[in-house]
Amino acid sequence: MNKSIRLSVALSGHVIVDRFSLTLPETGCLCLFGPSGCGKTTLLRALGGLLPAQFEPENPWQGKKTAILFQEDRLFPWMTVKENIQCVQKKPARVLSLPDELGLDGLLERYPHEISGGQCRRVALARALCYGGDVLLLDEPFRGLDRPRIEAILPLLQREKAKKPVLLITHDQWEAKALADQILWVEGPPLRLKTPDSSENLQKNG
Amino acid sequence: MKQSKTPSHKRGPVTRWGRRVLVAVFWIGLWQVVCLVTGHEYYLASPWSVVQSLWRLGGQASFWESCAQTLGRIALGVFLGAVAGCLLGAVTARFSLAETVLHPLLSLIKATPVASLILLFLIWFRAPLVPVVTTLLMVLPVVWENVKTGLHEIPENFLEMARAYRLRGWKKLRCLTIPAVRPYFRAACQSAVGLGFKAGVAAEVLSNLRGSMGGGIYEAKIYLETADLFAWTAAVVLLSLFVEQIVARLLRWGEKPPDRREPHE
């Protein structure tokens, strides 16, 4: 069942998100589309339980296993690609099976500094997906990836959103329309909807 | 034919060792010149006299026993200092109250003259324990501060990532904390070994500990055997450098440093 909430976040005395209303889906992809610095990432981190925030009523994703793909890759430089992915798994499998769409074959034994920025992004995405989780939060997941690679990865994320709620944050309209079921056009700070009718329901079924 | 210059870091081992030998020859030559100018073996023993003394000492079993005794005491002091430094570093990095309470102790240890500490320990402990405790107290602040800095320097991004992916306890320690703090700990241990040898041998000298390198130095001084004094000192320096290398290699073992970077395509 979809859950409507309102949340506020203040960082160092500055209100970044002020009683922002949104409806979190049970499954499917909700996208926040807007300029950088408007508070989208702050909202994502609050929903992921990483920032103190005021929820009305409570955060429906609180306590749920939440996989977050951060804006930065945040790969441990002292670990290989394989170790970076395995370290978030509860029981790391001896043989790591990764989705073919990510194209990480042959990179597993390399260190983050030995692979390109786009490859690092895919490793970070693989880590988020291998973590499992009940909720998937994606902050600019396709940063540094070219269009053919994004098109290869999209089916994988579409399968994910069919199983769980996915929150997508992006600046790219094409990416938003390719993956999201609903797009909220936002601006700020404090974070607010761009216009009263700025919610676009794309009626996608993944 | 035009030949390209080889970068200094890619020179072969022969060239590197050749340079080292040349540097050693330069300094020993300078030592010999100063010795000739001084003209008294009593003031400054010549390099040849020191080599002869070292050779003579090396032929005695008691010399090696002294080296082993000193090495054992200093190794124990370094080990205990490193363990205590890690614990105190972790506690003071985690709890600000502990930092407030323990910081004066750290400042006190750092500021107190080594000689005062040794003389106090001579009152409080048996002589063989004095070099151990002195070394411990030299190593402790270095490791303590470095471990604390290393823990403070863990990027907030990684800590947040660990929270998001529920990395806790031993897993967080293994995946994040230990690898992040390791370079700081290694640097501390490398500095601490040299400091430990300096202070530990000084403690042996002041406590006139028989059957130790410090004891050897003390006896050489009593009998005005300058060449022996130099020989014992050289032995301490060589042993310290050797142990420093061993410690550095041990602590680098299994480390995966990100500094062997290759440019991205």
Side-chain angles (χ1 to χ4, degrees):
Chain A
M1 209 175 87
N2 294 351
K3 295 265 172 64
S4 292
I5 57 160
R6 212 176 325 175
L7 81 157
S8 306
V9 186
L11 293 176
S12 312
H14 300 284
V15 177
I16 311 293
V17 182
D18 188 17
R19 295 164 65 82
F20 184 81
S21 299
L22 79 164
T23 303
L24 301 174
E26 185 77 16
T27 57
C29 179
L30 170 66
C31 172
L32 289 187
F33 181 88
S36 51
C38 71
K40 306 184 300 293
T41 298
T42 303
L43 180 123
L44 176 136
R45 288 168 67 207
L47 284 167
L50 299 173
L51 285 179
Q54 284 185 325
F55 284 89
E56 297 169 35
E58 59 182 11
N59 181 1
W61 292 344
Q62 184 71 45
K64 287 195 173 182
K65 197 177 169 189
T66 308
I68 305 179
L69 174 63
F70 293 97
Q71 208 169 42
E72 317 82 27
D73 303 322
R74 303 192 188 187
L75 301 178
F76 293 138
W78 45 80
M79 285 185 171
T80 61
V81 164
K82 187 179 172 183
E83 289 164 343
N84 261 294
I85 297 169
Q86 284 182 326
C87 77
V88 301
Q89 292 178 309
K90 204 163 189 182
K91 286 181 183 170
R94 275 192 185 173
V95 182
L96 192 63
S97 62
L98 290 172
D100 294 334
E101 291 94 329
L102 292 173
L104 293 174
D105 293 342
L107 300 179
L108 294 181
E109 299 306 324
R110 296 211 203 160
Y111 287 93
H113 67 266
E114 294 172 333
I115 60 177
S116 71
Q119 288 168 330
C120 281
R121 198 64 188 146
R122 282 182 273 146
V123 175
L125 181 57
R127 182 176 61 188
L129 296 177
C130 286
Y131 178 62
D134 311 311
V135 178
L136 181 59
L137 307 181
L138 303 171
D139 197 349
E140 297 182 32
F142 306 121
R143 187 179 46 76
L145 300 182
D146 53 28
R147 188 62 68 85
R149 180 61 72 180
I150 299 172
E151 283 170 352
I153 293 172
L154 277 171
L156 174 66
L157 294 177
Q158 273 155 356
R159 288 203 299 274
E160 287 293 316
K161 74 172 189 178
K163 293 183 279 185
K164 61 180 81 162
V166 175
L167 179 69
L168 170 71
I169 284 178
T170 183
H171 301 292
D172 189 303
Q173 210 165 332
W174 178 83
E175 288 171 12
K177 289 191 172 176
L179 187 63
D181 299 299
Q182 191 189 11
I183 302 175
L184 298 180
W185 301 69
V186 292
E187 58 186 5
L191 190 73
R192 58 185 175 275
L193 290 177
K194 202 166 183 183
T195 56
D197 57 346
S198 58
S199 168
E200 185 178 343
N201 196 335
L202 299 170
Q203 294 296 321
K204 290 192 176 172
N205 296 315
Chain B
M1 201 172 105
K2 196 178 175 184
Q3 287 184 334
S4 61
K5 281 186 179 175
T6 313
S8 59
H9 67 279
K10 285 191 175 172
R11 284 189 189 125
V14 176
T15 319
R16 265 189 284 128
W17 278 103
R19 285 160 69 97
R20 284 178 190 177
V21 168
L22 279 177
V23 170
V25 167
F26 167 75
W27 284 110
I28 292 169
L30 191 65
W31 176 6
Q32 181 64 47
V33 169
V34 176
C35 198
L36 287 172
V37 171
T38 318
H40 284 290
E41 283 272 326
Y42 168 75
Y43 289 124
L44 183 67
S46 69
W48 180 240
S49 309
V50 175
V51 169
Q52 279 179 315
S53 287
L54 255 181
W55 185 257
R56 182 174 43 77
L57 287 170
Q60 298 166 5
S62 59
F63 171 79
W64 297 105
E65 281 166 19
S66 299
C67 289
Q69 288 280 345
T70 297
L71 181 62
R73 286 193 198 99
I74 289 171
L76 182 62
V78 169
F79 174 75
L80 293 175
V83 171
C86 282
L87 289 174
L88 288 167
V91 168
T92 49
R94 178 72 181 80
F95 305 105
S96 58
L97 179 66
E99 164 67 8
T100 311
V101 172
L102 293 170
H103 189 76
L105 179 66
L106 178 68
S107 305
L108 187 74
I109 296 170
K110 276 164 58 181
T112 309
V114 187
S116 305
L117 285 175
I118 296 169
L119 294 175
L120 269 177
F121 295 154
L122 276 171
I123 299 169
W124 294 342
F125 306 112
R126 287 186 297 115
L129 265 182
V130 174
V132 178
V133 185
T134 309
T135 307
L136 187 156
L137 279 195
M138 288 299 106
V139 172
L140 178 73
V142 182
V143 176
W144 179 349
E145 285 208 309
N146 269 36
V147 167
K148 191 174 71 180
T149 307
L151 286 167
H152 282 150
E153 294 291 316
I154 297 177
E156 185 54 42
N157 275 356
F158 284 166
L159 293 171
E160 191 182 61
M161 208 282 284
R163 272 205 310 279
Y165 285 101
R166 298 180 183 180
L167 297 180
R168 297 183 190 121
W170 169 241
K171 199 165 193 182
K172 185 181 172 189
L173 210 61
R174 186 175 60 82
C175 294
L176 175 57
T177 315
I178 292 175
V181 175
R182 198 168 169 164
Y184 292 86
F185 178 69
R186 178 165 42 77
C189 284
Q190 278 179 260
S191 318
V193 168
L195 278 175
F197 264 93
K198 271 184 173 185
V201 172
E204 286 179 343
V205 173
L206 285 181
S207 51
N208 187 17
L209 205 59
R210 306 253 168 208
S212 70
M213 295 177 98
I217 290 174
Y218 184 80
E219 277 182 25
K221 177 225 149 196
I222 291 288
Y223 298 113
L224 297 176
E225 293 281 357
T226 313
D228 277 10
L229 183 60
F230 271 72
W232 277 110
T233 308
V236 172
V237 170
L238 289 174
L239 190 60
S240 169
L241 291 175
F242 176 70
V243 174
E244 206 176 298
Q245 286 295 316
I246 299 282
V247 168
R249 274 166 200 264
L250 272 177
L251 292 173
R252 270 190 192 282
W253 184 73
E255 192 173 337
K256 297 157 183 174
D259 52 4
R260 288 185 216 138
R261 283 169 193 271
E262 288 168 15
H264 291 161
E265 285 299 316

